[in-house]
Amino acid sequence: MKPTVVGMATGAVLAFAALIFDFWGFLLTALFIAVGALLGRAAEGKIDFRSVSDALTGRRSSS
């Protein structure tokens, strides 16, 4: 399995415990899955956090 899939599955499993809190559990599930997918993409090397933070702070442009 790809690290992205593993990260999403890990986020879903961790978020399962949050499901007992109704709507807030749903929001936490979505958050955990998104974080898991992001970390999985970083493990694959498809996301470079340094370049993302540089772009957000205005240090580097995409053009």
Side-chain angles (χ1 to χ4, degrees), residues 2 5 11 19 43-44 54:
K2 291 185 175 186
V5 175
L19 287 176
E44 285 181 340
D54 287 345

Side-chain angles (χ1 to χ4, degrees), residues 17-36:
L19 287 176
I20 60 172
F21 298 115
D22 296 328
F23 178 71
W24 294 109
F26 171 76
L27 291 180
L28 284 174
T29 301
L31 176 69
F32 285 139
I33 290 174
V35 169

Side-chain angles (χ1 to χ4, degrees), residues 2-63:
K2 291 185 175 186
T4 303
V5 175
V6 173
M8 289 177 64
T10 303
V13 168
L14 290 174
F16 183 73
L19 287 176
I20 60 172
F21 298 115
D22 296 328
F23 178 71
W24 294 109
F26 171 76
L27 291 180
L28 284 174
T29 301
L31 176 69
F32 285 139
I33 290 174
V35 169
L38 184 68
L39 292 176
R41 296 290 258 178
E44 285 181 340
K46 293 186 177 181
I47 295 178
D48 181 21
F49 287 117
R50 183 172 302 253
S51 65
V52 171
S53 70
D54 287 345
L56 290 175
T57 58
R59 293 184 190 160
R60 196 180 291 173
S61 68
S62 60
S63 58

